[in-house]
Amino acid sequence: MIRMMARYFTLALAILALGLPCLLHAQQPPIKITADLSEAPRKLYHAEVDIPVKPGPISLITPKWIPGNHRPTGPVEDITGVVFSVDGPNGHQVLPWRRDNVEMYEYHVTVPAGVAMLHAHLDCIVTARVTQKMAVLEWQKLLLYPADIPVKDIPIQPSVTVPAGWGIGTALTPIGTGGAAVPDTGVDEADHETTPGATTTHYAATTVEQLEDSPVITGQYFHEFPLAPEVTPKHYIDVVSDEPEDWNLRPQLLAEISNLVRETGAAYDSRHYCVYHFLLTLSDVAGGEGLEHGQSSDNGVGEKAFASQSNQLLDSDLLAHEFTHSWNGKYRRPARLYQPTFETPEQTDLVWVYEGMTQYLGNVLAARSGFKSQADYRGLLAMSAAQMAYKSGRDWRSTEDTAIAASVLREDGPEWANWRRGQDYYQEGELVWLDADTLIRQKTKDKKSLTDFLHIFLGKGGNTGPLIVPYEFPEIVADLNQVLPYDWATFFQDRIDNINPKADLDGIERGGYKLVYTDKQSTTEKAVYNSPVYRRYRGAGDVWYSLGLRINGAGTISDVRWGGPADDAKLHPGQKILAVDGIVFSADALKAAIKKAKNSSEPIRFILQADTFVTLADINYHGGEKYPSLVRVEGTPDYLDDITKPLTKPDPASLKSDTTGDED
Ligand SMILES: [Zn+2]
């Protein structure tokens, strides 16, 4: 694409010293942006942006590749009402603009002579993560800044307007609260002002890179809880909920989150932020999010997702996973994933480290912190490992290819998903890093573990502010070799780069367990299948390892396991099961048919509807029900339990179950 040189001052930003990166001195005046969320319940956000400029042509751009999304998800199609104007020698003047013919995120404007400040107004239509009672601001919805300048070099001073009475959670530093030196902001000492129906809070200047990494949650029912008070820097969890009773988190959960803060200190031996805010939205409408940031994480779950220990099982690793990304993904980032501008495509081949190792550590730290029991850790690991073991697409596609293609695999549907193979770099990565951890433990006779590698790799440079330190694969190999001299390059090549039809179960087996399939669901799997979220999507129990079918709550087949019994009988995704063995379809009828066929030579008979046609199919399967679980191999070291033991002293409140009393 054609890019004009931005007529914008190159801005010299001085980060005072590595030890004090929280203080930012911009030597040029910053962009000023006011994000107005006062109409959030109407699904509209607004922004006023003042951009220092020089006369002549300028290109302005909104973010395209969103860090952590691993794909170009900037909502350019929803950005509306764009008006550029100036107040110059000829008074107030609205300027014409033209979108770039190739880069849809870029606007071209010509600044008249004698003008030093360009004003932009824009709106964004926001339909997700917003309800009548809460809103989440991801800055790509409103950010506008000069193109072609590294986003880490563009200073910007944000303000946020919310409906009166709504609280705000963010890692941004309010002006006047100390901790940030802000010359040239032009904002008075007061950190916020109130107009009828709305309150505006001003924040210290930062960079476009850091602002994009600093989301805001706001809501009528808001509360901020401090965590692990003895740990520096400070940690908080900010909660907004749709219902007034939900923001008040259980004492046990708060203790678990404080445990997590302490456990990360022991596991990663460093911190790379000036403050950390867990941002949590509890809503059945605005849920379904987990996005990492350097100094915060955006966690969106259902209203009651954390209301009890059993409810939180499905999301038990969410906070630990997104928090771990502050080290693995944000501080240490694959070099080609980290680009100087948000319009440069990210190269994602190393997300099996970024996401895969975080998947492993998130689950491990969730167990160490008490979000789930060691037994549930093993139960969930069994379910995940079985999925990888029965992922037929691994016959044609490597795990590395799922990483390279991450940006095109995020929106894939369930139909033939096992043959496509989706974002397996998460779960396969988890197995590979468990393999590495147990290998280090075994070969060093328990003197070392992956934790020693994490101290080196994630702790490089000691404690810092929110910096980004890129790496390439050879650094991983070199740091692992410091812990255990081994052919790590070949280790990862065999498991990640090469096509490998077998899932990596070595870590589980070296860890003292074996993955087996029996006719009994584990306690963990039962709890998962009984959870409200799961029932909504699946509903028909798990017949994946027996018949080779995934069936949603309405009885419609969403996936057929390639090479499985249902595939042999030519069933296909999209068919609705009307009847099984002469009985109207239900999860119980299906289970009964599988049981009956185990002691019979008769096939299981299906009546199926596809589009407007009805067909018959017989599945010749006699293996009975099959569910994955881990069984202990006696006489071997129990590394899985060693790995999930806390490294720090747990908060007593996390050890006893509170009001809901449903922990086993
Ligand atoms: Zn992640």
Side-chain angles (χ1 to χ4, degrees):
M1 69 203 71
I2 297 165
R3 297 200 173 282
M4 276 183 272
M5 277 302 291
R7 294 297 190 94
Y8 189 71
F9 295 102
T10 301
L11 299 157
L13 291 179
I15 290 180
L16 284 182
L18 198 61
L20 291 170
C22 308
L23 306 182
L24 178 71
H25 277 264
Q27 301 190 344
Q28 298 290 342
I31 296 172
K32 288 186 191 173
I33 181 168
T34 299
D36 179 359
L37 274 58
S38 61
E39 288 206 294
R42 299 184 64 220
K43 319 295 182 199
L44 279 175
Y45 294 180
H46 314 287
E48 307 297 337
V49 193
D50 289 301
I51 304 165
V53 287
K54 276 184 169 177
I58 183 170
S59 302
L60 299 155
I61 198 156
T62 63
K64 181 178 186 179
W65 282 76
I66 306 306
N69 278 354
H70 313 314
R71 62 196 167 116
T73 51
V76 67
E77 70 279 15
D78 293 323
I79 294 176
T80 54
V82 180
V83 179
F84 294 99
S85 63
V86 292
D87 287 296
N90 303 321
H92 186 75
Q93 204 182 338
V94 171
L95 302 181
W97 56 271
R98 192 164 197 274
R99 189 185 302 272
D100 191 86
N101 270 326
V102 175
E103 180 50 85
M104 296 295 112
Y105 290 72
E106 190 166 335
Y107 304 82
H108 302 300
V109 181
T110 300
V111 177
V115 165
M117 188 68 77
L118 175 66
H119 182 78
H121 171 92
L122 44 112
D123 305 316
C124 189
I125 301 163
V126 181
T127 52
R129 308 300 313 287
V130 62
T131 74
Q132 297 303 300
K133 301 292 180 188
M134 69 169 72
V136 177
L137 171 61
E138 297 156 316
W139 285 93
Q140 65 267 21
K141 293 180 165 60
L142 298 173
L143 256 176
L144 186 76
Y145 50 90
D148 305 321
I149 298 175
V151 287
K152 71 175 169 49
D153 294 338
I154 306 175
I156 186 164
Q157 187 266 309
S159 301
V160 178
T161 302
V162 300
W166 285 29
I168 294 183
T170 180
L172 293 169
T173 310
I175 290 173
T177 57
V182 194
D184 304 325
T185 65
V187 175
D188 293 334
E189 58 281 353
D191 72 331
H192 64 270
E193 64 215 36
T194 304
T195 56
T199 305
T200 300
T201 306
H202 305 295
Y203 295 93
T206 180
T207 62
V208 166
E209 179 173 83
Q210 284 301 316
L211 185 61
E212 173 57 33
D213 203 41
S214 305
V216 174
I217 63 169
T218 179
Q220 182 175 343
Y221 306 118
F222 169 85
H223 196 78
E224 183 174 271
F225 299 89
L227 302 164
E230 79 285 5
V231 177
T232 52
K234 287 188 162 63
H235 297 74
Y236 302 92
I237 182 159
D238 299 307
V239 189
V240 294
S241 60
D242 270 345
E243 299 294 333
E245 67 272 16
D246 290 330
W247 63 261
N248 197 9
L249 302 183
R250 294 172 296 124
Q252 184 178 358
L253 176 61
L254 287 169
E256 288 160 6
I257 305 169
S258 282
N259 285 348
L260 174 61
V261 170
R262 298 182 185 103
E263 285 294 328
T264 52
Y268 310 146
D269 196 31
S270 59
R271 300 193 188 273
H272 306 290
Y273 41 83
C274 304
V275 64
Y276 193 88
H277 287 257
F278 295 91
L279 307 177
L280 177 65
T281 63
L282 300 170
S283 166
D284 287 349
V285 181
E289 180 62 282
L291 188 59
E292 64 275 19
H293 301 281
Q295 306 202 96
S296 62
S297 51
D298 176 7
N299 307 280
V301 295
E303 271 174 29
K304 309 294 178 195
F306 284 112
S308 70
Q309 290 295 108
S310 60
N311 276 25
Q312 79 189 25
L313 188 58
L314 262 183
D315 291 308
S316 55
D317 70 324
L318 177 65
L319 298 180
H321 179 108
E322 304 306 345
F323 190 26
T324 292
H325 272 317
S326 177
W327 290 261
N328 184 39
K330 289 293 164 179
Y331 178 59
R332 300 313 315 271
R333 196 170 311 173
R336 287 160 291 104
L337 192 72
Y338 179 40
Q339 298 291 349
T341 68
F342 296 134
E343 65 262 35
T344 318
E346 295 175 2
Q347 296 177 38
T348 52
D349 54 311
L350 285 175
V351 288
W352 60 271
V353 183
Y354 180 127
E355 293 293 359
M357 190 164 80
T358 301
Q359 187 74 9
Y360 175 59
L361 295 171
N363 278 309
V364 166
L365 265 73
R368 287 179 187 168
S369 307
F371 290 91
K372 59 183 153 203
S373 66
Q374 289 184 310
D376 281 334
Y377 170 84
R378 292 194 304 270
L380 291 168
L381 180 63
M383 293 170 70
S384 182
Q387 278 181 25
M388 292 300 100
Y390 276 76
K391 191 60 78 80
S392 51
R394 56 188 317 134
D395 285 346
W396 71 270
R397 176 175 232 170
S398 67
T399 295
E400 187 193 38
D401 187 62
T402 71
I404 290 172
S407 64
V408 295
L409 289 174
R410 290 228 146 194
E411 295 278 288
D412 52 351
E415 297 85 2
W416 295 115
N418 75 102
W419 183 235
R420 176 194 284 126
R421 219 186 166 187
Q423 304 172 73
D424 287 2
Y425 53 86
Y426 280 91
Q427 289 167 278
E428 191 70 17
E430 177 178 30
L431 294 174
V432 168
W433 286 102
L434 171 65
D435 188 352
D437 197 353
T438 53
L439 186 73
I440 295 169
R441 286 166 194 262
Q442 186 191 57
K443 291 222 176 269
T444 62
K445 300 196 166 42
D446 294 334
K447 286 191 181 64
K448 298 271 176 73
S449 70
L450 194 70
T451 305
D452 296 278
F453 162 74
L454 299 173
H455 286 189
I456 297 168
F457 179 62
L458 303 177
K460 231 166 258 181
N463 294 329
T464 71
L467 296 178
I468 300 166
V469 182
Y471 66 86
E472 285 283 6
F473 177 65
E475 188 184 333
I476 304 271
V477 171
D479 289 356
L480 279 165
N481 267 311
Q482 282 190 50
V483 179
L484 171 69
Y486 194 74
D487 186 359
W488 289 106
T490 304
F491 175 91
F492 288 116
Q493 193 174 19
D494 287 348
R495 289 159 180 77
I496 301 289
D497 303 356
N498 295 345
I499 289 173
N500 189 336
K502 282 199 161 40
D504 182 5
L505 303 179
D506 290 359
I508 290 174
E509 286 171 17
R510 206 179 292 113
Y513 290 82
K514 195 170 162 46
L515 178 64
V516 298
Y517 301 86
T518 68
D519 60 359
K520 293 266 179 304
Q521 273 185 315
S522 69
T523 317
T524 310
E525 189 172 5
K526 256 188 220 151
V528 165
Y529 276 71
N530 284 329
S531 69
V533 179
Y534 209 90
R535 288 188 86 81
R536 205 180 333 152
Y537 293 111
R538 298 277 162 81
D542 188 358
V543 294
W544 186 246
Y545 305 102
S546 50
L547 294 176
L549 288 174
R550 283 197 208 289
I551 303 162
N552 73 15
T556 301
I557 297 169
S558 53
D559 196 10
V560 174
R561 178 156 57 78
W562 194 267
D567 185 28
D568 291 344
K570 301 299 174 197
L571 272 68
H572 63 81
Q575 283 175 316
K576 189 172 161 63
I577 304 175
L578 300 177
V580 189
D581 278 353
I583 296 171
V584 170
F585 171 80
S586 70
D588 288 342
L590 183 62
K591 242 183 212 176
I594 293 171
K595 270 188 189 147
K596 194 180 82 186
K598 195 178 179 185
N599 304 308
S600 154
S601 56
E602 291 292 305
I604 305 172
R605 299 184 189 281
F606 287 80
I607 302 176
L608 302 154
Q609 179 184 352
D611 309 319
T612 52
F613 302 94
V614 172
T615 51
L616 303 174
D618 290 351
I619 299 186
N620 209 357
Y621 172 76
H622 306 282
E625 293 178 81
K626 279 192 180 175
Y627 306 105
S629 61
L630 296 189
V631 293
R632 179 85 178 98
V633 179
E634 292 305 332
T636 61
D638 191 341
Y639 282 134
L640 290 196
D641 271 12
D642 288 351
I643 286 168
T644 48
K645 265 186 203 124
L647 303 180
T648 62
K649 200 166 166 316
D651 187 316
S654 69
L655 299 175
K656 62 171 197 296
S657 192
D658 50 26
T659 48
T660 55
D662 56 4
E663 178 76 318
D664 59 15

